[in-house]
PDB file of all heavy atoms in Angstrom:
ATOM      1  N   THR A  38     -27.843  38.546 173.226  1.00  0.00           N
ATOM      2  CA  THR A  38     -28.847  37.751 173.955  1.00  0.00           C
ATOM      3  C   THR A  38     -28.326  37.216 175.309  1.00  0.00           C
ATOM      4  O   THR A  38     -29.124  36.780 176.120  1.00  0.00           O
ATOM      5  CB  THR A  38     -29.275  36.521 173.067  1.00  0.00           C
ATOM      6  OG1 THR A  38     -28.110  35.792 172.721  1.00  0.00           O
ATOM      7  CG2 THR A  38     -30.001  37.016 171.817  1.00  0.00           C
ATOM      8  N   GLN A  39     -27.041  37.166 175.546  1.00  0.00           N
ATOM      9  CA  GLN A  39     -26.608  36.681 176.861  1.00  0.00           C
ATOM     10  C   GLN A  39     -26.896  37.678 177.977  1.00  0.00           C
ATOM     11  O   GLN A  39     -26.814  38.937 177.775  1.00  0.00           O
ATOM     12  CB  GLN A  39     -25.032  36.408 176.865  1.00  0.00           C
ATOM     13  CG  GLN A  39     -24.563  35.783 178.054  1.00  0.00           C
ATOM     14  CD  GLN A  39     -23.033  35.440 177.977  1.00  0.00           C
ATOM     15  OE1 GLN A  39     -22.442  35.566 176.929  1.00  0.00           O
ATOM     16  NE2 GLN A  39     -22.454  34.969 179.059  1.00  0.00           N
ATOM     17  N   TRP A  40     -27.252  37.233 179.084  1.00  0.00           N
ATOM     18  CA  TRP A  40     -27.647  38.048 180.218  1.00  0.00           C
ATOM     19  C   TRP A  40     -28.739  39.010 179.847  1.00  0.00           C
ATOM     20  O   TRP A  40     -28.494  40.221 179.771  1.00  0.00           O
ATOM     21  CB  TRP A  40     -26.390  38.858 180.723  1.00  0.00           C
ATOM     22  CG  TRP A  40     -25.340  37.976 181.477  1.00  0.00           C
ATOM     23  CD1 TRP A  40     -25.432  36.642 181.644  1.00  0.00           C
ATOM     24  CD2 TRP A  40     -24.214  38.404 182.112  1.00  0.00           C
ATOM     25  NE1 TRP A  40     -24.309  36.228 182.381  1.00  0.00           N
ATOM     26  CE2 TRP A  40     -23.558  37.293 182.628  1.00  0.00           C
ATOM     27  CE3 TRP A  40     -23.693  39.729 182.272  1.00  0.00           C
ATOM     28  CZ2 TRP A  40     -22.351  37.420 183.359  1.00  0.00           C
ATOM     29  CZ3 TRP A  40     -22.472  39.808 182.952  1.00  0.00           C
ATOM     30  CH2 TRP A  40     -21.808  38.677 183.474  1.00  0.00           C
ATOM     31  N   PRO A  41     -29.944  38.468 179.676  1.00  0.00           N
ATOM     32  CA  PRO A  41     -31.067  39.381 179.295  1.00  0.00           C
ATOM     33  C   PRO A  41     -31.190  40.517 180.399  1.00  0.00           C
ATOM     34  O   PRO A  41     -30.695  40.291 181.512  1.00  0.00           O
ATOM     35  CB  PRO A  41     -32.282  38.454 179.384  1.00  0.00           C
ATOM     36  CG  PRO A  41     -31.690  37.062 179.330  1.00  0.00           C
ATOM     37  CD  PRO A  41     -30.352  37.127 179.788  1.00  0.00           C
ATOM     38  N   ASP A  42     -31.841  41.537 180.040  1.00  0.00           N
ATOM     39  CA  ASP A  42     -32.027  42.627 181.016  1.00  0.00           C
ATOM     40  C   ASP A  42     -32.404  42.189 182.359  1.00  0.00           C
ATOM     41  O   ASP A  42     -33.369  41.419 182.465  1.00  0.00           O
ATOM     42  CB  ASP A  42     -32.940  43.742 180.428  1.00  0.00           C
ATOM     43  CG  ASP A  42     -32.440  44.502 179.274  1.00  0.00           C
ATOM     44  OD1 ASP A  42     -31.174  44.508 179.106  1.00  0.00           O
ATOM     45  OD2 ASP A  42     -33.213  45.040 178.479  1.00  0.00           O
ATOM     46  N   GLY A  43     -31.665  42.621 183.346  1.00  0.00           N
ATOM     47  CA  GLY A  43     -32.013  42.262 184.705  1.00  0.00           C
ATOM     48  C   GLY A  43     -31.345  41.041 185.220  1.00  0.00           C
ATOM     49  O   GLY A  43     -31.452  40.760 186.370  1.00  0.00           O
ATOM     50  N   TYR A  44     -30.544  40.389 184.346  1.00  0.00           N
ATOM     51  CA  TYR A  44     -29.761  39.197 184.796  1.00  0.00           C
ATOM     52  C   TYR A  44     -28.326  39.622 184.997  1.00  0.00           C
ATOM     53  O   TYR A  44     -27.780  40.254 184.136  1.00  0.00           O
ATOM     54  CB  TYR A  44     -29.856  38.034 183.844  1.00  0.00           C
ATOM     55  CG  TYR A  44     -29.152  36.859 184.347  1.00  0.00           C
ATOM     56  CD1 TYR A  44     -29.755  35.851 185.152  1.00  0.00           C
ATOM     57  CD2 TYR A  44     -27.814  36.654 184.021  1.00  0.00           C
ATOM     58  CE1 TYR A  44     -29.082  34.806 185.640  1.00  0.00           C
ATOM     59  CE2 TYR A  44     -27.065  35.545 184.517  1.00  0.00           C
ATOM     60  CZ  TYR A  44     -27.737  34.667 185.334  1.00  0.00           C
ATOM     61  OH  TYR A  44     -27.027  33.573 185.803  1.00  0.00           O
ATOM     62  N   PRO A  45     -27.710  39.186 186.018  1.00  0.00           N
ATOM     63  CA  PRO A  45     -28.300  38.473 187.122  1.00  0.00           C
ATOM     64  C   PRO A  45     -29.122  39.421 188.071  1.00  0.00           C
ATOM     65  O   PRO A  45     -28.679  40.583 188.229  1.00  0.00           O
ATOM     66  CB  PRO A  45     -27.030  37.963 187.934  1.00  0.00           C
ATOM     67  CG  PRO A  45     -25.935  38.852 187.538  1.00  0.00           C
ATOM     68  CD  PRO A  45     -26.261  39.364 186.176  1.00  0.00           C
ATOM     69  N   SER A  46     -30.169  38.943 188.577  1.00  0.00           N
ATOM     70  CA  SER A  46     -31.046  39.771 189.355  1.00  0.00           C
ATOM     71  C   SER A  46     -30.421  40.020 190.734  1.00  0.00           C
ATOM     72  O   SER A  46     -29.516  39.381 191.127  1.00  0.00           O
ATOM     73  CB  SER A  46     -32.384  39.053 189.538  1.00  0.00           C
ATOM     74  OG  SER A  46     -32.208  37.935 190.359  1.00  0.00           O
ATOM     75  N   GLU A  47     -31.024  40.990 191.419  1.00  0.00           N
ATOM     76  CA  GLU A  47     -30.609  41.283 192.765  1.00  0.00           C
ATOM     77  C   GLU A  47     -30.781  40.055 193.652  1.00  0.00           C
ATOM     78  O   GLU A  47     -29.939  39.763 194.528  1.00  0.00           O
ATOM     79  CB  GLU A  47     -31.471  42.508 193.308  1.00  0.00           C
ATOM     80  CG  GLU A  47     -31.083  42.899 194.673  1.00  0.00           C
ATOM     81  CD  GLU A  47     -31.879  44.123 195.126  1.00  0.00           C
ATOM     82  OE1 GLU A  47     -32.306  44.940 194.244  1.00  0.00           O
ATOM     83  OE2 GLU A  47     -31.996  44.355 196.291  1.00  0.00           O
ATOM     84  N   GLN A  48     -31.823  39.311 193.408  1.00  0.00           N
ATOM     85  CA  GLN A  48     -32.091  38.060 194.135  1.00  0.00           C
ATOM     86  C   GLN A  48     -31.001  37.036 194.006  1.00  0.00           C
ATOM     87  O   GLN A  48     -30.530  36.468 194.938  1.00  0.00           O
ATOM     88  CB  GLN A  48     -33.469  37.435 193.752  1.00  0.00           C
ATOM     89  CG  GLN A  48     -33.804  36.227 194.559  1.00  0.00           C
ATOM     90  CD  GLN A  48     -35.207  35.732 194.114  1.00  0.00           C
ATOM     91  OE1 GLN A  48     -35.765  36.136 193.097  1.00  0.00           O
ATOM     92  NE2 GLN A  48     -35.662  34.677 194.874  1.00  0.00           N
ATOM     93  N   ILE A  49     -30.588  36.815 192.735  1.00  0.00           N
ATOM     94  CA  ILE A  49     -29.493  35.915 192.480  1.00  0.00           C
ATOM     95  C   ILE A  49     -28.187  36.334 193.065  1.00  0.00           C
ATOM     96  O   ILE A  49     -27.537  35.579 193.670  1.00  0.00           O
ATOM     97  CB  ILE A  49     -29.295  35.739 190.881  1.00  0.00           C
ATOM     98  CG1 ILE A  49     -30.510  34.976 190.324  1.00  0.00           C
ATOM     99  CG2 ILE A  49     -28.000  35.068 190.587  1.00  0.00           C
ATOM    100  CD1 ILE A  49     -30.525  34.957 188.787  1.00  0.00           C
ATOM    101  N   LEU A  50     -27.894  37.608 192.977  1.00  0.00           N
ATOM    102  CA  LEU A  50     -26.650  38.148 193.569  1.00  0.00           C
ATOM    103  C   LEU A  50     -26.697  38.000 195.099  1.00  0.00           C
ATOM    104  O   LEU A  50     -25.709  37.608 195.730  1.00  0.00           O
ATOM    105  CB  LEU A  50     -26.395  39.631 193.153  1.00  0.00           C
ATOM    106  CG  LEU A  50     -26.141  39.771 191.656  1.00  0.00           C
ATOM    107  CD1 LEU A  50     -26.000  41.260 191.377  1.00  0.00           C
ATOM    108  CD2 LEU A  50     -24.940  39.039 191.209  1.00  0.00           C
ATOM    109  N   LEU A  51     -27.866  38.334 195.705  1.00  0.00           N
ATOM    110  CA  LEU A  51     -27.930  38.172 197.133  1.00  0.00           C
ATOM    111  C   LEU A  51     -27.783  36.666 197.605  1.00  0.00           C
ATOM    112  O   LEU A  51     -27.178  36.482 198.631  1.00  0.00           O
ATOM    113  CB  LEU A  51     -29.225  38.805 197.628  1.00  0.00           C
ATOM    114  CG  LEU A  51     -29.277  40.267 197.904  1.00  0.00           C
ATOM    115  CD1 LEU A  51     -30.685  40.765 198.217  1.00  0.00           C
ATOM    116  CD2 LEU A  51     -28.275  40.656 199.008  1.00  0.00           C
TER     117      LEU A  51
END
Side-chain angles (χ1 to χ4, degrees):
T38 58
Q39 187 176 354
W40 289 2
D42 288 339
Y44 181 87
S46 67
E47 183 173 334
Q48 181 180 11
I49 289 170
L50 296 177
L51 277 173

